Amino acid sequence: KLPLYHLNSGVSAMSKLVFPDQFVWGTATASYQIEGGVREGGRGPSIWDAVCYTPGRVLNMDNGDVACDHFHRFKDDISLMKELGLKAYRFSLAWPRIIPAGFGDVNEQGVAFYSELIDCLLDAGITPWVTLYHWDLPLVLQTEFDGLINPDFPDWFAAYADVCFDRFGDRVKNWITLNEPWCSSVLGYGIGVHAPCRKMDTAEAYMAAHQLLRGHGKAVQLYRSKYQSQAGSIGITNNCDWREPLTDAITDQAAAQRSLEFFLGWFCDPIYKGDYPQVMRDMVGDRLPKFTDADKAMIKGSSDFFGLNHYTTMLASEPTEQVVERNIAGNGGISEDQNVTLTEDPSWQKTDMDWNVVPWGSAKLLKWIDERYDHPPIYVTENGCAYDVPVIDGVCDDPQRLDFFKSYLTAMHGAIADGVDLRGYFAWSFMDNFEWSWGYTKRFGLVHTDYSTQQRIVKNSMKWYSQVVQSNAIAE
Ligand code: GBH
């Protein structure tokens, strides 16, 4: 059996894999990971500022106070993107810069900052793709109101989104409501390795997911009713790693399917089918909140495109004994509820995150999404890898990263040839940045960040990627 990505390699004489016309190419970042300037321009604190100052939560007690200093250097960063020929840029807005107290007064300095950034991108011929929420919740919403598990979260989020559509929607036509609500829920409220680091009760993770989905639905409803004249599109970005059955046994195939439904179906079934997967309702029971009919109507059909962040693959199998322990971050959900054993093929290469490099997993996942959700237009809004490579004589030669992108893009090109409606790709990340609980120890950038001088050094993988973007093809 040939892996999917061989399907379109065609005759061996073919030297290029060409992507569809209008394919969107870009890189991605997130506010807290790059901006710094956390006490400037009227910004309020976020849950990540608080977690960074709590001992034991972030490696080396690193924090986002300065990060890549993008808050002061955004013009130079955008010039560099332009020089590299990048066509689109996905970034997120810091809610606490725009509404420092979570709800209520708008901070005009924050609005002005993003307004200038957007204008600068448009001047450079780069299309902005804007994420409203990439995990930096205004702190006060957490300390005073329990954050994402509060049933009022959807109202706060929609009010914040309203300000963003109103102020930026004349120029921003591509909106993403939430980045990876799975991470906010599982990592933030289930196993507690991300802000707000809750680990009291797994029911909180299901509640956070529930309120996030309702918030997403509410923001989309508002955008479609009040800002129709802006003629933009709006969607959500979910993350999913692929689950390959360990063996052909029907029980292992079912375990892999169950794992994917707990991971991605959790967030996408409500959007594409109107409710949580049946297997989750059966296995989670009362800890899984129920949607009202009004919620269902609001959430179903609430994404104009399918935003996907994809990083890695694991093998899934039927456990030989009941899974009882709360698992590591990669389990795809709350592990004791799913009853799936995850393992790895020892032959797989790994990145600095210890994540497996399995390019064909991306093609299989795209196909799974295509089939389950009835052929949606898909944008890969993140894909990338961490490798720490030294800069020698001003050169950062990172062949593993180049190979990672080349192999994943080749696999995804194969998925397109196989009928998947993949319309765009954003490499994570434009530059090395604050990698959450790992602080600055993991480097995902295609541009190297020297944190002592804030110098940007274009890695060799970026030179290659820039060619891909400009030619709309991968040279073999
Ligand atoms: C993204 O999340 C974030 O959006 C971004 O902010 C972040 O910087 C970037 O990725 C890199 O981390 O334990 O081997 O099974 C990534 C979501 C979910 C992907 C968990 C990897 C676990 C791998 N991740 N998954 S494993």
Side-chain angles (χ1 to χ4, degrees):
K1 262 198 307 192
L2 281 177
L4 275 174
Y5 56 83
H6 281 171
L7 290 177
N8 197 44
S9 40
V11 278
S12 53
M14 206 167 115
S15 61
K16 276 205 235 174
L17 296 178
V18 180
F19 283 76
D21 290 345
Q22 312 302 320
F23 196 80
V24 174
W25 290 105
T27 60
T29 64
S31 46
Y32 191 70
Q33 295 182 270
I34 65 165
E35 283 180 6
V38 293
R39 281 175 282 278
E40 290 176 66
R43 179 186 179 278
S46 78
I47 54 175
W48 269 99
D49 296 274
V51 162
C52 287
Y53 278 89
T54 307
R57 298 294 170 271
V58 175
L59 208 60
N60 304 322
M61 267 194 98
D62 284 343
N63 60 61
D65 287 5
V66 177
C68 306
D69 197 32
H70 179 74
F71 183 70
H72 298 110
R73 296 168 193 264
F74 71 92
K75 287 183 183 154
D76 292 342
D77 288 333
I78 293 170
S79 303
L80 180 55
M81 287 178 204
K82 184 182 176 177
E83 238 172 78
L84 292 164
L86 303 175
K87 306 253 163 50
Y89 175 48
R90 173 177 178 244
F91 64 100
S92 76
L93 307 178
W95 185 344
R97 268 195 205 289
I98 294 174
I99 307 181
F103 52 80
D105 292 344
V106 172
N107 170 35
E108 292 302 335
Q109 290 179 78
V111 171
F113 167 66
Y114 290 117
S115 205
E116 214 185 329
L117 192 153
I118 291 162
D119 286 342
C120 190
L121 283 168
L122 294 172
D123 284 347
I126 299 169
T127 308
W129 284 64
V130 177
T131 307
L132 291 170
Y133 182 67
H134 197 129
W135 311 349
D136 41 2
L137 190 77
L139 181 60
V140 68
L141 295 182
Q142 191 69 47
T143 52
E144 296 179 16
F145 303 102
D146 285 344
L148 308 183
I149 60 175
N150 190 316
D152 289 340
F153 171 81
D155 294 336
W156 310 329
F157 182 66
Y160 157 60
D162 197 355
V163 173
C164 300
F165 301 146
D166 178 45
R167 304 304 186 90
F168 312 125
D170 54 336
R171 290 154 291 158
V172 173
K173 303 300 167 189
N174 306 281
W175 293 100
I176 294 167
T177 53
L178 306 174
N179 179 70
E180 303 187 347
W182 178 94
C183 286
S184 304
S185 309
V186 174
L187 306 183
Y189 284 81
I191 51 184
V193 294
H194 277 190
C197 298
R198 296 288 299 174
K199 40 192 149 234
M200 292 296 286
D201 178 355
T202 58
E204 286 192 358
Y206 293 109
M207 185 53 80
H210 196 71
Q211 302 308 343
L212 282 162
L213 278 163
R214 294 181 63 238
H216 154 79
K218 192 152 189 149
V220 171
Q221 190 177 54
L222 176 93
Y223 184 65
R224 287 178 177 166
S225 57
K226 190 169 168 190
Y227 296 98
Q228 210 176 11
S229 64
Q230 292 183 355
S233 69
I234 188 163
I236 186 170
T237 277
N238 283 295
N239 62 300
C240 195
D241 306 331
W242 175 245
R243 298 297 184 235
E244 180 72 8
L246 176 67
T247 72
D248 282 346
I250 201 106
T251 45
D252 288 350
Q253 289 183 34
Q257 175 68 16
R258 188 159 73 242
S259 177
L260 290 165
E261 290 186 27
F262 265 85
F263 204 151
L264 192 58
W266 181 7
F267 296 93
C268 296
D269 277 24
I271 293 172
Y272 289 90
K273 296 170 183 287
D275 207 345
Y276 294 121
Q278 187 63 47
V279 70
M280 287 189 73
R281 286 184 268 159
D282 293 344
M283 294 176 84
V284 181
D286 288 345
R287 284 171 305 130
L288 188 70
K290 290 183 177 52
F291 291 117
T292 63
D293 287 342
D295 287 339
K296 286 182 187 171
M298 179 174 75
I299 294 166
K300 195 173 176 194
S302 62
S303 203
D304 295 331
F305 53 85
F306 196 111
L308 175 70
N309 291 355
H310 174 75
Y311 285 89
T312 188
T313 286
M314 294 266 248
L315 300 170
S317 56
E318 177 73 14
T320 45
E321 50 196 272
Q322 179 73 31
V323 177
V324 284
E325 258 180 73
R326 216 178 282 186
N327 212 333
I328 49 154
N331 63 34
I334 303 299
S335 56
E336 61 266 43
D337 291 333
Q338 310 177 30
N339 205 34
V340 174
T341 293
L342 297 179
T343 52
E344 298 167 331
D345 182 329
S347 76
W348 287 339
Q349 290 180 356
K350 284 169 170 280
T351 70
D352 282 358
M353 297 298 282
D354 263 345
W355 297 348
N356 305 308
V357 180
V358 189
W360 53 259
S362 67
K364 289 197 176 192
L365 176 61
L366 287 168
K367 194 72 188 157
W368 189 87
I369 292 167
D370 183 71
E371 282 166 8
R372 186 173 182 88
Y373 300 116
D374 205 12
H375 196 53
I378 304 172
Y379 291 86
V380 168
T381 44
E382 285 179 29
N383 174 234
C385 53
Y387 289 109
D388 193 0
V389 171
V391 177
I392 299 167
D393 295 333
V395 176
C396 189
D397 188 27
D398 56 343
Q400 303 108 311
R401 181 177 286 99
L402 192 157
D403 287 349
F404 180 97
F405 282 121
K406 190 172 185 179
S407 61
Y408 271 79
L409 280 168
T410 302
M412 291 185 198
H413 184 274
I416 297 172
D418 205 24
V420 171
D421 189 9
L422 179 63
R423 298 194 184 176
Y425 179 90
F426 293 80
W428 183 269
S429 176
F430 173 68
M431 58 187 155
D432 297 332
N433 57 47
F434 176 77
E435 179 53 29
W436 308 113
S437 62
W438 296 94
Y440 295 99
T441 64
K442 304 294 177 193
R443 293 181 175 270
F444 275 89
L446 285 91
V447 171
H448 176 92
T449 306
D450 178 332
Y451 295 109
S452 57
T453 62
Q454 290 298 346
Q455 203 194 342
R456 316 305 198 218
I457 297 148
V458 175
K459 299 181 188 179
N460 284 355
S461 57
M462 177 62 109
K463 293 178 185 162
W464 176 83
Y465 185 63
S466 152
Q467 291 301 310
V468 171
V469 172
Q470 289 173 71
S471 61
N472 195 38
I474 314 170
E476 282 184 309

